[in-house]
Amino acid sequence: MVSTQFSIIDRAVEGAHAAQAQYGAAPAAVRARLLRGLADALEANQAALVSVADEETSLGAGRLNGELARTAFQLRGFADRVDSGIAHRQIDDAAVPGAPPAGRPHLTRVLAPLGPVAMFSASNFPFAFSVLGGDTASALAAGCTVIVKPHSGHPELSRRVHALAANVLREQGLPEGVIGFVDQASRDAAVHLVSHADVSAVAFTGSYQGGVALWRAANARRLPIPFYGELGSINPLVVTPAALAQGVDAPAAALAASITLGCGQFCTSPGLIVVYDDVDGERFVAALAQALAAQQPHAMLTQAMRGGFEKASAHIAEQAGVRVRLAVSAENEAATTPAPRLYETDAATFIANAALREEMFGPAALIVKVRDEAQALDVLAAVEGTLTATLWGAEADTPANRALAAAAQRIAGRVLFGGVPTGVAVCDAQQHGGPWPASTQPQTTSVGYAAIERFLRPVALQDAPQWALDANAGGITR
Ligand code: NAP
């Protein structure tokens, strides 16, 4: 069985490797056409795909239709940027006669695709972070072939989406190895994929444990390769007193909806709420507990994730100095659909106990009460890397708000001045990453068009003849 799985991986990687030379050298127009063809195929099969996705994930047709639309939008967005030259940028420094350091040869910095990318689908976004999601779209835009390792939480959907992609490749006369697929690979087989000599990079979204196991494998190779992993995030949200000046009910309702969105299975779910220990702060927490109690999340993605959530929330609840603000009944602990929960502690306890900084992947959050602004800064400083940090009531230009913004920027990839962190726009300015463990490569993003940079390797061509510069231009005229 193991050897059969390994040979399936070997065949898929061989296909991707064989296709790489042709696809990597293809004109920008070929890549853009492929990306648009994939978007069209998703939309043409939307109803059937959403129905399978809903059966496998319980995420609901509304959310899944929106996610498919986002996935198609993202594929077309990359196509537009490939057309405008994002993957074939050249920086040119003309020769300067004379002695160095001022004197120099003619140098042109060009971009080369890294090569075949092993792409691990995420469980919680069956379209947008899966077979044809952002990692695949950005790798294809960069001219890299892809080997998809589907997530075991939505196997049939993954097969169907891959079959559509294979069809688009055939119609466009491209090798099937441009988008490879390793169905039902075991964890050993997944490690074999990451360790394969012909894989050049890995993209991963998932758990800290799984991500670190694969990251170690990528680094233990004779020739280590880039591992772009998004491994976990608690997404602090700071509620300053100014944020509650207009009342507590509306902000509490907005936050409760964000905490329970998708049953809390969003990597950007706000899991740590910093609230001032005063009268308004207490009214806000009471209103939040009430608003959360009224929410009715749907079932979780998998039974394993349901169990994982129960374990993670129980672990927070049992820590010394933690008070339960919204409890669940004993029956709910065993029910398929989890009830939301809310815990509370104080700043000193939070800072002293690393267990309180562990992600609860599900509809739950931890309130940390702070005495003053200095303590709010200490709490943020105790948080390790996080995808987002949200500041409520920090609009005024004051030294306190500047300090909060600086603290937030030190730990987060995206800092929000208002609103809720769930919902990640696909655009050029987006940054979805952050210091470890939000990302294993904090200088990169896995959402937005800058995600393409992960799969492009700069090469400086020195005194290159024009044909060599043209060969790296992807057919784009400047
Ligand atoms: P996961 O368990 O890390 O799985 C992600 C992928 O990695 C799957 O393909 C999985 O294979 C594979 N994998 C996991 N452990 C491995 C190992 N030791 N060796 C080789 N391959 C391994 O993540 P998940 O299933 O999506 O969710 C589990 C937990 O991850 C959640 O409860 C949550 O805590 C966290 N999570 C975080 C984020 C985030 O964005 N931060 C997103 C999703 C999930 P299989 O398919 O065979 O399991």
Side-chain angles (χ1 to χ4, degrees):
M1 179 67 179
V2 167
S3 63
T4 315
Q5 291 223 344
F6 281 21
S7 46
I8 290 171
I9 301 267
D10 291 345
R11 270 204 306 280
V13 177
E14 274 161 29
H17 180 65
Q20 180 59 49
Q22 178 188 338
Y23 184 68
V30 169
R31 295 185 202 170
R33 189 163 68 111
L34 172 60
L35 291 161
R36 292 196 180 98
L38 296 171
D40 293 347
L42 281 177
E43 286 175 346
N45 294 277
Q46 178 153 348
L49 293 176
V50 165
S51 159
V52 177
D54 198 18
E55 263 170 47
E56 292 191 323
T57 66
S58 315
L59 287 173
R63 144 80 194 267
L64 290 163
N65 276 304
E67 197 185 317
L68 185 144
R70 173 199 175 92
T71 310
F73 174 86
Q74 185 164 260
L75 285 158
R76 292 197 183 100
F78 273 109
D80 293 346
R81 280 154 185 83
V82 167
D83 274 341
S84 60
I86 190 175
H88 297 92
R89 290 188 312 269
Q90 298 193 350
I91 300 171
D92 204 58
D93 276 330
V96 176
R104 63 174 186 228
H106 174 207
L107 280 157
T108 308
R109 189 177 165 97
V110 302
L111 298 170
L114 272 184
V117 175
M119 198 292 293
F120 285 75
S121 297
S123 55
N124 53 345
F125 286 88
F127 290 111
F129 280 81
S130 195
V131 180
L132 294 180
D135 286 329
T136 297
S138 51
L140 292 175
C144 296
T145 60
V146 174
I147 307 115
V148 174
K149 192 303 195 174
H151 195 278
S152 48
H154 46 269
E156 183 55 27
L157 175 69
S158 303
R159 270 179 223 123
R160 291 200 190 191
V161 172
H162 179 255
L164 290 174
N167 203 31
V168 173
L169 288 169
R170 264 192 304 279
E171 281 171 5
Q172 298 194 2
L174 290 167
E176 64 177 312
V178 171
I179 305 175
F181 189 73
V182 289
D183 207 356
Q184 294 183 330
S186 67
R187 293 192 166 182
D188 284 346
V191 171
H192 180 68
L193 171 62
V194 167
S195 310
H196 198 293
D198 288 331
V199 168
S200 300
V202 183
F204 174 94
T205 303
S207 69
Y208 185 82
Q209 290 75 13
V212 168
L214 293 166
W215 174 81
R216 285 194 205 290
N219 284 289
R221 298 161 49 113
R222 191 177 70 79
L223 302 178
I225 52 173
F227 184 94
Y228 301 107
E230 187 202 308
L231 312 186
S233 186
I234 57 172
N235 305 300
L237 185 150
V238 181
V239 185
T240 71
L244 304 178
Q246 308 302 319
V248 297
D249 291 337
L255 185 53
S258 179
I259 291 169
T260 53
L261 190 68
C263 199
Q265 301 163 116
F266 270 55
C267 43
T268 51
S269 190
L272 169 66
I273 318 300
V274 180
V275 179
Y276 283 63
D277 194 3
D278 57 20
V279 174
D280 276 354
E282 178 48 35
R283 285 178 52 233
F284 174 74
V285 175
L288 178 61
Q290 208 177 7
L292 278 172
Q295 297 281 334
Q296 290 181 327
H298 53 68
M300 294 193 77
L301 290 161
T302 63
Q303 201 47 44
M305 286 168 94
R306 175 72 185 91
F309 174 58
E310 210 54 56
K311 220 167 127 191
S313 53
H315 189 55
I316 296 286
E318 73 195 18
Q319 300 300 310
V322 170
R323 179 179 164 209
V324 177
R325 292 299 304 250
L326 178 61
V328 289
S329 63
E331 302 89 75
N332 186 258
E333 283 169 21
T336 315
T337 305
R341 43 210 87 182
L342 186 66
Y343 305 102
E344 182 181 309
T345 193
D346 59 80
T349 306
F350 177 79
I351 291 164
N353 185 355
L356 294 175
R357 301 193 276 280
E358 284 168 23
E359 187 179 35
M360 292 181 276
F361 203 69
L366 173 67
I367 300 284
V368 177
K369 287 266 184 80
V370 296
R371 200 175 44 231
D372 53 21
E373 175 216 323
Q375 261 197 345
L377 294 177
D378 290 344
V379 168
L380 288 182
V383 174
E384 291 171 334
T386 181
L387 291 167
T388 70
T390 304
L391 307 176
W392 280 5
E395 287 76 20
D397 185 356
T398 64
N401 287 341
R402 282 179 177 250
L404 267 180
Q409 286 179 51
R410 271 196 292 277
I411 56 168
R414 179 164 56 107
V415 174
L416 294 84
F417 293 84
V420 291
T422 39
V424 186
V426 181
C427 56
D428 293 304
Q430 188 54 270
Q431 174 57 30
H432 190 69
W436 183 286
S439 173
T440 58
Q441 305 265 358
Q443 71 280 30
T444 66
T445 179
S446 64
V447 178
Y449 301 113
I452 192 175
E453 306 297 342
R454 299 174 299 170
F455 305 117
L456 290 167
R457 186 172 60 82
V459 178
L461 302 180
Q462 185 166 323
D463 290 332
Q466 189 58 44
W467 66 260
L469 300 178
D470 292 346
N472 284 281
I476 294 196
T477 42
R478 291 179 172 78

